[in-house]
Amino acid sequence: MSTILEPGQIEASASAPPFLYLPPHNLFTLRAQRLEQVARGHPLADYLALIATLCRVQQSLLDQPPSATAPDPEHVLLCQQHGLPPLAADSLVREDGWQPYLDALLLRYQVPPQPPVQKAIATLRNASAGQRKAWAIALLSGQFEGLPAALVPFLGAALQAAWSHWLLHMPPMDLKPCDSLGQCPACGSPAMAGVIRHRGKYNGLRYLVCALCACEWHVVRVKCIYCEQSKGLKYVSFEDDRYAANQAPLRAEICPGCNSYLKLLYLENDAEAEALSADLTSLTLDMRLDLDGYQRQAPNLMLAPGGG
Ligand code: FE
Ligand code: FE
């Protein structure tokens, strides 16, 4: 007997929002362009320009990847069958597959004449594979004190490029939500920020952006992604004369239940906004929220908290 879908069923399945979006293939170029745009006249112009240059190198790692061992396809499939993130960062970082991306980044990055940058690059170049792995494990587990702050953007850039490359070349699979709303279904890393989409039938839906692999997954709005409460959530933006408060393209969702916050990007107010660059250009908001006693749980792998 064949199953015939009723028209209502077809519509229902067709209108269910996609759970997951892969990042675009020019993800890092988009980040670089955005950073270059906002760097002009910004108080952190030098830092933003440095990150933009790194994003260009990341894009070259996607376009011309180093020869490296990709994650074992059987293992990837097995993880998926068991409902685990197939590119689990906590286990793959302990293998060596990502290290060629760091080697290639260190080769391709044109080191500027600033002594602190030269020192950071020399430290990474001279470090053993074991030392690099220890630093990477610390970075991906949010233990920023476990590595020198100056190394964070370079190591973070290499790790992001490796994971995004694997993600974009993974066989298509049906990924499931993790136990925690804020955890990436593809690699298990925490979200960096949320994006409220606009245009089309998925207008107004919230997607969280992975800090490591950059995939985006759907999570309902007006719910703290850390403690899953909806009570008393507040939305604050930093003072910016260009926008009325209720039209700010970037707002923090503050949860009084667990004292945490998450930055949200509203694409209807800035269609070109991109999560990583928007996060790095709104650090004054983090400073203010920190003074108010709120905790930031979302990592940005190109920024050591407090280390600039
Ligand atoms: Fe991820
Ligand atoms: Fe909460």
Side-chain angles (χ1 to χ4, degrees):
M1 202 171 81
S2 64
T3 310
I4 299 165
L5 284 174
E6 297 294 324
Q9 282 179 285
I10 298 169
E11 278 161 34
S13 67
S15 65
F19 173 57
L20 202 97
Y21 281 103
L22 295 182
H25 280 80
N26 61 346
L27 153 80
F28 297 115
T29 298
L30 294 176
R31 286 184 178 173
Q33 286 171 343
R34 190 70 186 181
L35 285 164
E36 284 156 7
Q37 242 173 49
V38 286
R40 281 176 233 129
H42 194 281
L44 294 175
D46 290 349
Y47 166 72
L48 297 175
L50 178 135
I51 301 297
T53 313
L54 271 178
C55 291
R56 299 266 178 206
V57 182
Q58 288 180 297
Q59 187 65 46
S60 91
L61 296 175
L62 269 196
D63 297 341
Q64 292 109 35
S67 53
T69 322
D72 176 13
E74 268 180 48
H75 181 78
V76 167
L77 208 65
L78 204 69
C79 284
Q80 195 247 341
Q81 284 164 356
H82 288 86
L84 299 169
L87 299 175
D90 53 2
S91 57
L92 284 176
V93 71
R94 289 176 163 80
E95 294 170 22
D96 289 324
W98 59 269
Q99 298 239 14
Y101 293 82
L102 177 58
D103 286 323
L105 179 135
L106 294 171
L107 270 178
R108 295 180 197 182
Y109 178 60
Q110 298 229 343
V111 188
Q114 289 111 297
V117 178
Q118 292 180 325
K119 195 172 155 229
I121 295 297
T123 305
L124 278 171
R125 280 189 180 141
N126 297 330
S128 66
Q131 175 65 79
R132 290 172 175 189
K133 192 181 291 185
W135 286 332
I137 291 170
L139 178 57
L140 292 190
S141 55
Q143 277 154 4
F144 284 86
E145 65 285 355
L147 75 163
L151 306 188
V152 168
F154 307 102
L155 192 55
L159 293 165
Q160 284 179 342
W163 259 266
S164 291
H165 184 232
W166 294 334
L167 175 71
L168 289 168
H169 293 87
M170 199 170 69
M173 48 178 76
D174 192 17
L175 295 177
K176 299 276 181 296
C178 292
D179 290 342
S180 157
L181 292 179
Q183 201 184 358
C184 171
C187 79
S189 296
M192 169 171 62
V195 172
I196 312 295
R197 295 199 164 223
H198 81 144
R199 291 201 187 122
K201 58 181 175 177
Y202 305 129
N203 181 29
L205 295 182
R206 169 165 78 169
Y207 284 83
L208 302 188
V209 184
C210 176
L212 180 61
C213 74
C215 83
E216 299 188 10
W217 65 101
H218 177 237
V219 172
V220 290
R221 281 173 73 174
V222 200
K223 186 179 227 182
C224 170
I225 68 160
Y226 301 113
C227 73
E228 305 194 12
Q229 285 194 42
S230 301
K231 243 169 68 187
L233 294 182
K234 280 192 300 183
Y235 295 84
V236 301
S237 55
F238 56 159
E239 266 117 73
D240 186 334
D241 294 342
R242 288 172 301 169
Y243 302 100
N246 63 347
Q247 282 168 3
L250 187 142
R251 287 167 238 175
E253 181 175 74
I254 300 177
C255 173
C258 66
N259 242 27
S260 304
Y261 69 92
L262 178 76
K263 285 181 184 170
L264 300 177
L265 277 178
Y266 292 76
L267 296 187
E268 65 175 334
N269 297 317
D270 183 354
E272 306 302 315
E274 182 284 320
L276 182 130
S277 49
D279 182 26
L280 294 180
T281 48
S282 59
L283 299 177
T284 47
L285 182 60
D286 296 278
M287 287 187 250
R288 200 182 102 197
L289 294 173
D290 182 54
L291 284 176
D292 292 346
Y294 295 111
Q295 237 191 331
R296 175 173 173 146
Q297 299 204 35
N300 185 318
L301 299 181
M302 296 180 107
L303 179 83

